[in-house]
Amino acid sequence: MTKPQDSDPASDSLSAQLEIWQAWLKANSAAAGGDVAMSDSPLVRILESWRQKTAELPSVGSNSALERAIQAATEFMLMGQALIVSRAGAQGADGDAPGLTERLHAALLQSGLATHGTRGGTNLLSALLTSIPGELQTALGKVHESVAQGMPTSTGKTLLSELMSALGDPSRVAGASWERDIRVICARWADFQAAHERYANLLSEAASDATARMEAALAEDPTEYPPQRSLRLMYDLWIECNEDAYGELLAGEVFPEAYAETINALARLKAETGNLGQRLLSWIDAPSKEDLLVVQKRLHDERRRSCELESRFRAADHQRENLEHRIAALESLLDEARTLSAHRDAGNSDSRN
Amino acid sequence: MSITPDHALEELLEFGRRFGDGLERLALRGAPEVGATARDEVYRDDSIRLYRYRGESSSNSRIPILIVYALVNRPYMMDLEEDRSLIRGLLRADLDVYLLDWGYPQRADRFLTLEDYLQSYLLHCVDWIRDAHGAEKLNVLGICQGGVFALCFAAMHPERIRNLVTMVTPVDFHTPDNTLTRIARKLDVDLLVDTFGNVPGSLLNATFLSLSPFRLGSQKYVHLADNLQDDAALANFLRMERWIFDSPDQAGEAFRQFVKGTFQENGLIEGTMLIDGQRIDLRAIRQPVLNVYASRDHLVPPTASRALRAAIGSVDYQELEFDSGHIGIYVSARAQEQIPRAIGDWLRAR
């Protein structure tokens, strides 16, 4: 058997790659129970070559479109591989290999596409963390990690040691009681986890629904979906199945509520971490959030007052202009009247003469 | 199923090769320029800017129109590139185009309210244009959330508005097909604003994308592999990407007012929306209204837009349905051809 490691899948000719892949497929189809070790596949090396290629480029760090594209292409490649493996196993047999759609779905789940909810949660967490400054963020990150690993008793110690080093004044922090703060943060974290789990469970239900739709399509039911002749069409079909299943979930009441509650739970968690941050800041005599809000509010109100004054000034200016126009018009009328009067006086004088 | 392992393998490897070859181009491309039409900044106030676009003709007979865009995305979508520019189309229709750019709210802007946006920023821009043209009244084109602002403004200052065009604008937020509302109604908006101050644009963007996560989060990038060698197509794609992910944070107090007043309380329909202590009564809008909406809009369902007909006091109300989604109505080739011309013709007839 040709070992995948002997060659570079990214640069080899198509036929050479085919050989590598077919050898791998052959080895795997002989494996007990037909289970395939995806991690050994040549695909992994292709993906790695993408990563290496992009890591060497200077602008990658700021190109998030690239990251999203690589993630999606990886999902597509995984789906393709799962399909190939299943079809190879079915060669010579009638119909599809048993469990084809389950394998496809497992591959896609592994790729992260069906775990869209986790991505959403990650985005929210990023937003939470980026809104907390500097060293405190590092400390809280460790607390999150600690709680996530199910070690609530160690959370307090982690928090204390991190915060003490962050603030650089252990004597002031060490004397304080942290118990309540830590208990509340842990409770909020647990609430967020529960909300997120509910949300993720609903997504899993939709994923199962999508699998059922995919099975119907693969059964070549012409009333549901057209027959699939390429990986790309298969992938597009999979996307459609998921959008349909997800769309139904979205149209109900339960999922939007779970989605909103995940955001609410995260906001509560951030509020608590914010409160903790405030307590810390108060010990180093830094201005509190409330102080800053008062200043911001005052700035806003002053700005608004200034706008109102400007507006009144403009209106007064406008009135002044109008009055000037009217005065000018009156003066013009007066001039006209004077001229007429002069003419009349001149006429009278002529007639008298 | 008609796929054989050999064919599938070939297809997969070919995809991998094409994508791998194009990665460098995608990586090095960087953020593309946006904005195709020359313009001048004519007024500014805090973060907001008022732009006037330079048309090919300098005729004084051009009809002035002010575009009021949403707060949640950037308005360069209206002038993304040469052949995808609603603004160019409006200029070609012999309109004198102004655009209000709300800018990016800073942390200190968290107390900005809808009163500030409408009674200060928008009002000053409208008055600036009226003064500049010596006109009593102005035409306004409100887009999406900007359409809601335009409606509120027209109801509060009918004496300043000649004609009103709304585009993909939600009016009835409680139609059964409004997915965003189902999420927004359950949000604890007080908690969000009190906690975050300004609401991060990334949170809103994640929610918008979550309405169609598989198409928007995966499929379009897989299809990109077909265009990685095509410079123009790649640039188009990246411009759209830039726009989609360029989501300004939302000034906290204005966000609180807007979400409560529209998504949660459906204030435009119920007549409960208050701005500057004034109840927004859409029946005060008696000007001619053109309502443009997209038939396949997943963000603003047509039913949400079409509710405008019954809500306003105008007898001169016209609808224009366009067969597209929420974004296609700005950037599709057909939209470039049809929408600006329809707006120009409609305005000229009034």
Side-chain angles (χ1 to χ4, degrees):
Chain A
M1 169 187 164
T2 311
K3 288 181 184 172
Q5 292 87 335
D6 292 341
S7 165
D8 177 6
S11 59
D12 284 349
S13 70
L14 200 63
S15 59
Q17 288 188 56
L18 269 168
E19 269 181 38
I20 294 168
W21 214 301
Q22 277 159 349
W24 175 77
L25 283 172
K26 195 175 167 191
N28 274 289
S29 63
D35 283 336
V36 179
M38 297 284 187
S39 57
D40 292 339
S41 93
L43 172 67
V44 173
R45 301 191 62 228
I46 292 182
L47 301 181
E48 185 50 36
S49 75
W50 290 353
R51 289 277 165 203
Q52 279 175 2
K53 190 182 261 190
T54 53
E56 290 159 7
L57 299 169
S59 66
V60 165
S62 59
N63 192 339
S64 45
L66 177 74
E67 289 299 313
R68 292 190 288 270
I70 289 179
Q71 170 75 19
T74 303
E75 290 161 1
F76 175 71
M77 296 288 276
L78 279 167
M79 189 206 76
Q81 177 178 264
L83 178 71
I84 291 163
V85 168
S86 301
R87 294 300 292 169
Q91 268 181 338
D94 291 335
D96 289 339
L100 168 62
T101 48
E102 283 78 1
R103 283 178 191 228
L104 278 175
H105 209 80
L108 288 158
L109 277 171
Q110 181 191 338
S111 75
L113 182 57
T115 53
H116 148 72
T118 310
R119 280 194 199 168
T122 307
N123 288 342
L124 296 174
L125 271 178
S126 304
L128 162 75
L129 287 173
T130 51
S131 62
I132 299 171
E135 291 91 347
L136 189 56
Q137 182 180 320
T138 312
L140 290 170
K142 293 204 175 178
V143 175
H144 288 157
E145 199 179 308
S146 193
V147 177
Q149 287 167 0
M151 296 186 293
T153 49
S154 67
T155 302
K157 286 180 188 166
T158 308
L159 181 63
L160 260 182
S161 66
E162 288 298 326
L163 291 177
M164 282 161 71
S165 69
L167 290 170
D169 189 358
S171 59
R172 301 180 79 171
V173 182
S177 165
W178 289 94
E179 237 182 278
R180 190 201 153 274
D181 299 87
I182 292 165
R183 254 206 323 269
V184 172
I185 287 180
C186 287
R188 292 289 179 247
W189 176 260
D191 289 347
F192 170 65
Q193 296 285 62
H196 192 265
E197 195 179 329
R198 184 170 168 238
Y199 171 63
N201 285 342
L202 288 166
L203 282 174
S204 295
E205 283 174 26
S208 300
D209 182 11
T211 305
R213 288 166 193 256
M214 187 83 173
E215 276 172 356
L218 293 177
E220 294 189 332
D221 179 354
T223 59
E224 280 281 334
Y225 298 99
Q228 303 304 301
R229 299 190 189 285
S230 72
L231 276 184
R232 180 65 75 82
L233 287 172
M234 176 74 119
Y235 169 81
D236 287 345
L237 171 64
W238 192 84
I239 293 287
E240 283 308 304
C241 291
N242 273 281
E243 284 288 357
D244 290 349
Y246 181 79
E248 267 184 30
L249 192 66
L250 212 50
E253 287 299 323
V254 178
F255 181 73
E257 190 178 331
Y259 187 102
E261 182 47 31
T262 307
I263 296 176
N264 290 340
L266 189 64
R268 281 183 218 110
L269 174 63
K270 176 171 161 51
E272 286 307 330
T273 56
N275 290 341
L276 181 63
Q278 285 307 300
R279 284 190 60 196
L280 290 168
L281 290 172
S282 71
W283 290 336
I284 55 171
D285 298 325
S288 71
K289 182 180 173 183
E290 290 306 317
D291 296 335
L292 290 174
L293 288 180
V294 167
V295 173
Q296 285 176 350
K297 179 83 171 67
R298 196 170 294 164
L299 272 174
H300 168 264
D301 292 347
E302 289 302 328
R303 201 162 60 183
R304 198 159 172 191
R305 202 162 297 138
S306 143
C307 274
E308 277 166 20
L309 285 173
E310 270 181 41
S311 177
R312 275 191 219 165
F313 175 76
R314 269 198 301 273
D317 206 36
H318 199 61
Q319 270 183 333
R320 181 187 57 77
E321 274 180 18
N322 281 343
L323 282 173
E324 279 176 2
H325 285 142
R326 285 173 68 182
I327 289 168
L330 284 171
E331 279 176 350
S332 164
L333 274 174
L334 197 59
D335 282 346
E336 214 174 301
R338 280 190 191 118
T339 310
L340 282 172
S341 173
H343 284 160
R344 191 196 57 203
D345 291 346
N348 287 342
S349 167
D350 286 346
S351 64
R352 272 200 298 274
N353 292 334
Chain B
M1 186 164 54
S2 320
I3 307 174
T4 66
D6 283 351
H7 284 140
L9 190 50
E10 273 189 49
E11 189 185 343
L12 193 65
L13 290 170
E14 173 57 19
F15 175 87
R17 187 189 59 73
R18 244 181 317 132
F19 189 79
D21 288 351
L23 274 178
E24 202 168 340
R25 295 166 61 79
L26 182 57
L28 294 175
R29 185 90 206 186
E33 289 299 312
V34 289
T37 311
R39 65 183 188 179
D40 300 298
E41 180 189 314
V42 293
Y43 174 81
R44 67 162 67 189
D45 191 355
D46 297 334
S47 306
I48 71 125
R49 305 284 180 270
L50 178 64
Y51 294 104
R52 184 182 193 183
Y53 285 84
R54 293 183 212 157
E56 283 163 13
S57 89
S58 56
S59 148
N60 286 334
S61 65
R62 287 192 300 160
I63 304 169
I65 186 167
L66 169 64
I67 299 176
V68 182
Y69 197 71
L71 300 174
V72 293
N73 279 109
R74 302 288 294 133
Y76 55 75
M77 172 54 105
M78 299 292 99
D79 187 36
L80 204 58
E81 55 194 45
E82 251 179 57
D83 55 356
R84 290 202 288 182
S85 168
L86 184 82
I87 284 173
R88 285 206 161 193
L90 292 172
L91 290 169
R92 272 197 295 269
D94 213 21
L95 301 180
D96 196 347
V97 182
Y98 290 85
L99 171 83
L100 200 176
D101 180 347
W102 300 112
Y104 295 87
Q106 303 302 303
R107 189 174 284 200
D109 291 327
R110 69 158 288 172
F111 288 104
L112 284 180
T113 59
L114 291 184
E115 285 76 14
D116 294 307
Y117 279 110
L118 269 71
Q119 295 288 72
S120 180
Y121 297 144
L122 180 53
L123 179 64
H124 293 165
C125 288
V126 166
D127 283 350
W128 191 94
I129 300 170
R130 288 168 62 228
D131 284 349
H133 288 263
E136 245 180 79
K137 296 180 176 186
L138 177 65
N139 302 302
V140 172
L141 164 58
I143 293 171
C144 193
Q145 184 191 28
V148 175
F149 287 177
L151 287 170
C152 293
F153 185 84
M156 296 170 84
H157 302 282
E159 74 287 353
R160 286 173 159 90
I161 305 294
R162 177 179 295 283
N163 299 296
L164 184 60
V165 183
T166 53
M167 209 166 148
V168 288
T169 296
V171 178
D172 184 349
F173 283 73
H174 285 186
T175 55
D177 49 356
N178 195 326
T179 309
L180 268 184
T181 289
R182 274 201 294 277
I183 295 173
R185 284 175 93 167
K186 302 290 180 185
L187 278 181
D188 187 342
V189 69
D190 288 328
L191 172 72
L192 271 183
V193 173
D194 293 343
T195 305
F196 283 94
N198 288 342
V199 176
S202 57
L203 289 190
L204 300 187
N205 203 37
T207 302
F208 295 143
L209 293 177
S210 79
L211 298 184
S212 187
F214 300 94
R215 286 195 197 100
L216 301 178
S218 184
Q219 190 180 35
K220 72 171 184 181
Y221 298 105
V222 169
H223 288 190
L224 173 67
D226 301 335
N227 291 323
L228 281 171
Q229 301 301 327
D230 179 340
D231 266 340
L234 184 57
N236 288 350
F237 180 87
L238 289 173
R239 276 191 199 100
M240 282 299 290
E241 283 293 283
R242 175 176 166 183
W243 178 78
I244 289 167
F245 290 93
D246 190 357
S247 313
D249 293 345
Q250 300 297 294
E253 292 308 319
F255 181 82
R256 189 196 315 259
Q257 277 177 289
F258 189 80
V259 172
K260 283 187 175 180
T262 56
F263 286 104
Q264 296 187 341
E265 294 164 4
N266 204 18
L268 293 180
I269 294 296
E270 301 297 331
T272 52
M273 187 131 175
L274 286 175
I275 294 178
D276 214 7
Q278 190 178 331
R279 195 171 65 85
I280 302 300
D281 182 359
L282 294 185
R283 285 171 305 178
I285 300 177
R286 298 183 184 283
Q287 297 87 341
V289 173
L290 173 64
N291 186 11
V292 187
Y293 61 91
S295 58
R296 290 179 281 117
D297 194 330
H298 72 295
L299 285 171
V300 180
T303 46
S305 286
R306 300 183 66 193
L308 183 59
R309 179 193 292 270
I312 55 176
S314 175
V315 288
D316 183 358
Y317 171 87
Q318 196 174 321
E319 283 178 358
L320 173 62
E321 179 179 284
F322 188 74
D323 181 23
S324 76
H326 192 75
I327 307 299
I329 201 167
Y330 316 126
V331 293
S332 76
R334 219 162 26 85
Q336 309 307 310
E337 177 68 27
Q338 294 175 11
I339 297 209
R341 197 175 55 205
I343 292 173
D345 290 347
W346 183 83
L347 283 174
R348 252 186 304 282
R350 285 158 181 83

